[in-house]
Structure formats: C-alpha cells, structure tokens
Amino acid sequence: RSDMKIALVHNQTPETLSVAAKFKEMCLSEKIEIITDHPDLVVSIGGDGTLLSAFHKYEEQLNHVRFVGIHTGHLGFYTDWRTYELPELVESLKHDKGESVSYPLLDVRVKYADEEEETRYIALNEASLKKMDGTMVCDIYVKDELFETFRGDGLCVSTPTGSTGFSKSLGGAVIHPRTEAIQLTEMASVNNRIYRTLSSPMIIAKDEWIVIYPHKEDRLILSVDHLTFKKRSIERLVYRIAQERVHFARYRHTHFWDRVEDAFIGVKKNDRNERTKER
Ligand code: NAP
Ligand code: MN
C-alpha cells in the first residue's frame, strides 16, 4: 500500500539511533509516510522492552494498529527483524496486504481504596503485584469461588506472549501464543499449617477470571509490563483475557518453538545433532 502511514518508536542506544535514521531515510525515498497520531503500522526499533513501550503508546488504537519489531542487540520475542534486513522490510511495507497475526492480552481492573471507579489496565506481558516490606496477604478467587489465601512476596498474571518474560523466571510454563489463556504464578509463597497455596503455576481458561482481594492494610506495588505504579492500597483486582487482541504485521513466519529454543537453549541444531550422535 502506497498510502500506508507508519509510526516509529525506538530506544536511544547509538546502534538504534543509526538504524532509525537509516529506516526513516528509506521510508522517505519510498514515499512511505512517517507520522505519530493515527498510524496503520507501528515500527519498534530496540528490544522487547521498546516494543512494550510502543504497545502502551498506542494501546487505545489496538483495533486498527499493527506492530512490527526490529531488534538491535539480541533477538527478542516481539522483535524478529534484524537491522541488516531493512531493505526486505521496506519492500514488505510497500507491498503490504494487511498480513497479520494476533495474540491475547490481559485485562486488569483495579479498585483502589481511595477511588470510586475501577481503573482499567491492559498488559501485553503481565501484571504483577508485590509488597517490598514484609509479606503480602490476599484471598484469591477463581470466578466467584474462594480458591486460596496467599501469603508471600507477590503474584504475577501473564499472557501467553508474556510467558517467556517475568512469568518464566517465576517458574511459569511457556505457553504457545495461539492458546487463549492467562497464567497465575506465585513469588515465594509461605506454606505451613496456617497458609497453604497451590504452589504451582495455574493456567485458567478463556471464560474464567481471577479475583485478588489484598488484605486491607497492604500497600502494594502494581506493575503492568514495564510500567510500575506507586504503592497504593488496593481493594480488589480482576484479571481476565481482554476483548482486544494485539496485531503484529506478519510478512513472514517464525515458528514459536524455534524462537523459544533460540532464546533459552541456544545451541545450534547441528551441534546438538552431533552430540546426540556421540551418545
Ligand atoms: P528489562 O528489565 O529490560 O527486561 C527484562 C528482560 O526481559 C529483558 O531482557 C527483556 O528483553 C526481556 N523481555 C521482555 N519481554 C519479554 C518476553 N515477552 N519474553 C521474553 N523476554 C522478555 O525491562 P523491559 O525491557 O522494560 O521489559 C519489561 C519486562 O521485563 C516485563 O514485562 C517482564 O516480563 C520482564 N521482567 C522480568 C523479570 C525477571 O525475569 N525477573 C523481572 C522484571 C521484569 P529486551 O532486553 O529485549 O528488552
Ligand atoms: Mn529491556
């Protein structure tokens, strides 16, 4: 499409700045317009963290915006274009036919103690709840049933694409992003005769939701993706799969498990085959 409008979000590393300058120049010479207000496509240059910023910058426009990630530094989960592939990317933009793939998002509704109305957040990776000083205590409901009372450092609820981020560090499962589910993971739960939790990650279905009621006196730190909010007293949090989905432009396909293997196992397939032969 010749009338496609692109927005650019990038970090400030020297490498990124030079890639961004080169990309702008290439778009200019192809008459691809770069704007900020109502883009068709958002190009993020940097890391996964940069894409999270881009997502939140355009979170009000998810129904018509698609994202593309170029990575400077290491290969990310949301960033599959390499800096030397700019010509191929610009060529794809020129011949764009709206190719896209979409993934589930997390909807979080928070009732703060000092506010009447609920505040709504949307997460691409996860929303986490922590208490820095001492342990946090809360009741966890699945739908309308009390499930457990948690005491520990914190809790994290993540999306399938967020399952390779913070959630994985907390022992969560890596979930294929075609799965419509959200995952609850614990941070250091206390388990004794008084407090008892499931103590393993929990994955809930599409038509279910999780409700957390922190015990009143707790002032908690809520994080949504890379954003952290100041300590506040929270009455209730409700987590469910969002109505909205995030759309990525898909000009070519990378197999999810290949990405996971590349990021976390990292041994080249040939080397591994060699080792298997040796055994
Ligand atoms: P950061 O501290 O730079 O991020 C931590 C690392 O997580 C970076 O290497 C980042 O990649 C990577 N990352 C982000 N999203 C990911 C995903 N979906 N799958 C795999 N890796 C992912 O902070 P940030 O860049 O603003 O990112 C915020 C995210 O960091 C949070 O949403 C959370 O998932 C993650 N985080 C992880 C931990 C932990 O594992 N202990 C603690 C806090 C936050 P890039 O280098 O490409 O940006
Ligand atoms: Mn980062």
Side-chain angles (χ1 to χ4, degrees):
R1 277 176 56 191
S2 57
D3 60 340
M4 190 152 74
K5 294 183 177 61
I6 291 179
L8 208 55
V9 176
H10 59 81
N11 63 20
Q12 298 296 324
T13 69
E15 191 195 353
T16 298
L17 292 174
S18 90
V19 171
K22 201 153 102 195
F23 181 72
K24 274 186 202 162
E25 201 179 286
M26 291 170 78
C27 286
L28 200 69
S29 69
E30 294 294 344
K31 301 196 165 43
I32 297 173
E33 206 181 332
I34 297 185
I35 57 157
T36 51
D37 279 356
H38 286 91
D40 300 299
L41 194 89
V42 175
V43 177
S44 154
I45 309 177
D48 282 330
T50 317
L51 196 123
L52 292 172
S53 311
F55 170 82
H56 286 282
K57 185 168 177 191
Y58 292 97
E59 67 175 35
E60 309 284 342
Q61 302 181 39
L62 295 178
N63 56 350
H64 67 259
V65 157
R66 285 176 299 150
F67 296 86
V68 168
I70 301 171
H71 68 90
T72 51
H74 64 90
L75 172 71
F77 276 85
Y78 298 116
T79 57
D80 45 7
W81 290 84
R82 284 156 220 268
T83 54
Y84 59 79
E85 295 172 319
L86 291 187
E88 192 187 330
L89 177 58
V90 172
E91 206 49 36
S92 302
L93 298 179
K94 270 167 58 189
H95 301 107
D96 178 79
K97 290 177 201 69
E99 301 94 324
S100 76
V101 59
S102 72
Y103 302 127
L105 297 167
L106 172 69
D107 178 303
V108 191
R109 283 158 208 242
V110 182
K111 172 70 183 70
Y112 289 106
D114 58 3
E115 252 173 54
E116 276 304 309
E117 300 280 303
E118 279 186 327
T119 305
R120 180 178 185 254
Y121 302 95
I122 191 150
L124 177 55
N125 270 350
E126 76 284 293
S128 69
L129 199 59
K130 271 185 271 192
K131 189 174 166 188
M132 296 315 287
D133 37 358
T135 53
M136 147 184 136
V137 183
C138 51
D139 292 330
I140 302 179
Y141 285 67
V142 175
K143 294 169 83 171
D144 299 322
E145 301 279 336
L146 176 64
F147 183 75
E148 63 186 12
T149 298
F150 172 89
R151 178 170 204 134
D153 282 14
L155 291 161
C156 171
V157 181
S158 78
T159 63
T161 54
S163 69
T164 47
F166 192 14
S167 177
K168 186 174 184 299
S169 305
L170 297 171
V174 172
I175 301 179
H176 192 291
R178 211 153 51 224
T179 313
E180 289 190 62
I182 54 174
Q183 176 168 214
L184 172 71
T185 45
E186 302 178 346
M187 298 173 209
S189 57
V190 172
N191 271 279
N192 53 31
R193 288 200 223 173
I194 300 155
Y195 292 99
R196 186 135 305 274
T197 60
L198 184 62
S199 298
S200 65
M202 193 169 150
I203 297 171
I204 66 153
K206 195 179 169 178
D207 58 347
E208 297 183 314
W209 60 91
I210 295 168
V211 189
I212 297 180
Y213 290 95
H215 285 205
K216 277 274 154 52
E217 67 280 10
D218 285 350
R219 287 165 68 80
L220 304 171
I221 301 168
L222 173 70
S223 294
V224 174
D225 297 336
H226 62 302
L227 308 161
T228 297
F229 303 97
K230 70 169 200 286
K231 283 192 207 172
R232 278 175 83 177
S233 186
I234 295 174
E235 272 173 24
R236 181 185 68 233
L237 303 99
V238 185
Y239 305 80
R240 50 161 58 87
I241 297 174
Q243 291 281 307
E244 306 94 314
R245 291 169 68 88
V246 60
H247 299 267
F248 287 89
R250 178 159 79 176
Y251 301 122
R252 59 182 188 194
H253 183 54
T254 317
H255 195 284
F256 177 71
W257 296 114
D258 280 345
R259 184 81 54 89
V260 172
E261 187 269 346
D262 193 66
F264 299 113
I265 315 289
V267 183
K268 291 205 181 61
K269 294 244 162 59
N270 286 337
D271 298 352
R272 196 178 306 147
N273 290 342
E274 283 305 313
R275 272 190 326 202
T276 318
K277 262 186 259 160
E278 280 163 26
R279 254 194 246 122

